[in-house]
Amino acid sequence: ANYVSMFQDPNIQQSYRFTFLYAATATLLLNAVSLYLAVLLTSKVRWPGLWKGIYFIPMVLSGLVVAYCFQYLFNQSIPKIITWGPLGEGLLTNETWAWTGLVLVTVWASFPGTVIIYLAGLSSIGSDVYEAGELDGATELGKFRHLTLPLLAPFVVINTVLGLKNLLNAYDIIVGLTDGGPGVATRSVAMSIFRGFDGGDYAYQMANAMVFFLISIALAGLQLRLTRGRTVL
């Protein structure tokens, strides 16, 4: 009966829609931003040590601290500067666009770890590879597209699998930023499960947790199947 009720519950359905949209979008954006920053840090940039220190600041901050700081920015500071659209009314209070604010904050808080993995991948690529590319007439964009990206494929796989796994279970940043609101627009599956336990719906949310567990296992298996042969670590 709990499983039947769960599949008919609009709040549960909304939590699954939000969770998968949020996790997929944040994973893609996180990898794109992290790869770009990693390439910048390995290029001939001035004061690379200083930039690395700045980039890794989010790693030492608590997720709740980050969430509360950005909540103040989105709801108090930015509307005073930008009065247009969702930003003017408070991004996190807009039922349609609140999830985008969560994605942006999540990417900012999560990219240091992803950058470290990409830096490790870039450091494993020998300079002779790029020298050979230059002899063949490769441009900077060509070297990135035809040399760097293929050689970084195992690290892209690792960051994608780890990122999706972590973001499907996101909890603290969502609680600190929106607490699942407005309404239930940004309530994740993990939040639904925990709130149900506190509210006395233990058996009902145990059914929800079992379904979420099976979906997570299926996604992990699909990822491993699609990326088989591309990982070396």
Side-chain angles (χ1 to χ4, degrees):
N2 284 323
Y3 285 105
V4 173
S5 299
M6 192 194 84
F7 285 111
Q8 297 174 347
D9 189 338
N11 290 334
I12 295 293
Q13 294 172 10
Q14 167 61 24
S15 71
Y16 275 88
R17 284 194 297 269
F18 162 73
T19 299
F20 290 124
L21 175 64
Y22 160 78
T25 306
T27 299
L28 290 174
L29 186 58
L30 174 61
N31 277 274
V33 170
S34 299
L35 180 56
Y36 176 74
L37 293 177
V39 171
L40 283 182
L41 289 173
T42 54
S43 62
K44 296 179 181 179
V45 63
R46 298 181 65 183
W47 309 307
L50 174 63
W51 289 113
K52 288 180 181 179
I54 294 174
Y55 287 156
F56 296 145
I57 287 176
M59 182 174 285
V60 301
L61 298 176
S62 163
L64 284 175
V65 171
V66 171
Y68 287 136
C69 289
F70 275 95
Q71 183 192 62
Y72 180 82
L73 289 175
F74 281 129
N75 291 340
Q76 303 294 330
S77 299
I78 293 179
K80 295 178 181 178
I81 302 172
I82 302 175
T83 59
W84 175 82
L87 290 174
E89 66 185 38
L91 185 64
L92 301 179
T93 61
N94 187 295
E95 189 170 339
T96 303
W97 295 102
W99 72 275
T100 60
L102 287 169
V103 168
L104 293 175
V105 176
T106 299
V107 170
W108 187 85
S110 306
F111 78 82
T114 311
V115 168
I116 289 175
I117 294 177
Y118 280 132
L119 286 174
L122 290 169
S123 65
S124 67
I125 303 175
S127 59
D128 55 324
V129 174
Y130 296 110
E131 292 172 359
E134 291 176 357
L135 291 175
D136 288 336
T139 62
E140 291 298 321
L141 181 59
K143 286 189 288 186
F144 178 78
R145 179 181 176 184
H146 299 291
L147 297 176
T148 303
L149 278 181
L151 292 172
L152 279 181
F155 301 90
V156 174
V157 169
I158 291 169
N159 276 331
T160 301
V161 172
L162 291 178
L164 189 60
K165 172 258 180 188
N166 291 330
L167 294 175
L168 282 174
N169 296 291
Y171 184 77
D172 53 348
I173 286 182
I174 297 175
V175 169
L177 274 174
T178 64
D179 198 29
V184 293
T186 61
R187 177 172 292 184
S188 66
V189 178
M191 281 189 66
S192 296
I193 294 171
F194 284 126
R195 295 290 169 84
F197 286 167
D198 291 338
D201 292 331
Y202 186 82
Y204 186 59
Q205 292 303 333
M206 278 300 296
N208 190 10
M210 180 60 68
V211 171
F212 190 54
F213 169 75
L214 293 176
I215 292 176
S216 300
I217 292 294
L219 286 175
L222 179 61
Q223 284 182 298
L224 292 175
R225 183 177 180 84
L226 293 175
T227 59
R228 183 176 299 168
R230 299 186 181 182
T231 56
V232 295
L233 299 182

